[in-house]
Amino acid sequence: MGPWWENAKLRWRALRCQHRLFKDYYQSLVPLLELPISRAPLMAMDLEMTGLNPLQDQILSIGLVPIENGTIPLMGAQQKLVQIQGSVGQSATIHGILDNHLTEAVTIEEAMAWFVAQTRGHVLVAHHSPLDCRFLQQDILSIYHQAIVLPAIDTLLLEKHRLLREHSVLKEGSLRLGACRERYGLPIYGAHSALTDALACGELLLAQVASMGGAEELKVGELLAYSR
């Protein structure tokens, strides 16, 4: 399946979608698939959650970092903390978000409305995108009663394809975000947050695209196809 199939699927979803908000969301993405990756509006994202099960666990924060014309305008980077039911529990040891950090957080309804508004007209970029997308899809379904597919360029899968062309076996941990960045000579970020990891993911994508060469010819649809 190639870029033409990504385009066809997106057009079909836009046609079939009954919810005006998400019909517009799909339609805003269709013309982007044919753009060179160097000129396409992208949005790197990362989530922090209380766990890894979207049916049981909850989103704690969402980080978004835009990528425009092959650069990252940091003034456009944003992060939202999200209210949850109950306590963050032991998950705080991973993400560092404590219950008292969420006292002025937005509701999940506000967070999803913000996410859709900010990412409309942008192609998502994430490291291991299926995990983040499943959480977002679950909350969107619960709030809007609309199932949605979130097309995303996955930097983990791009790196996996590249490494498998060079090695028959991948070392454990070789596809972690930090390990991927290290291979491209990118700096290590100490602070762990959704915003920092979204920035780290965006920088990794730019390094990956540069290593592929021909960024002016490489289309968004091609990278989405690689992310399957």
Side-chain angles (χ1 to χ4, degrees), residues 3-4 7 11 29-37 39 216-221:
W4 66 271
N7 192 300
R11 289 181 183 276
L29 296 177
V30 171
L32 305 185
L33 300 189
E34 295 300 321
L35 287 179
I37 194 68
R39 292 197 285 110
E216 284 300 322
E217 290 77 30
L218 190 63
K219 301 290 176 55
V220 168

Side-chain angles (χ1 to χ4, degrees), residues 167-179:
H167 311 281
S168 58
V169 178
L170 301 183
K171 295 181 180 179
E172 183 177 354
S174 63
L175 294 177
R176 290 175 181 163
L177 181 57

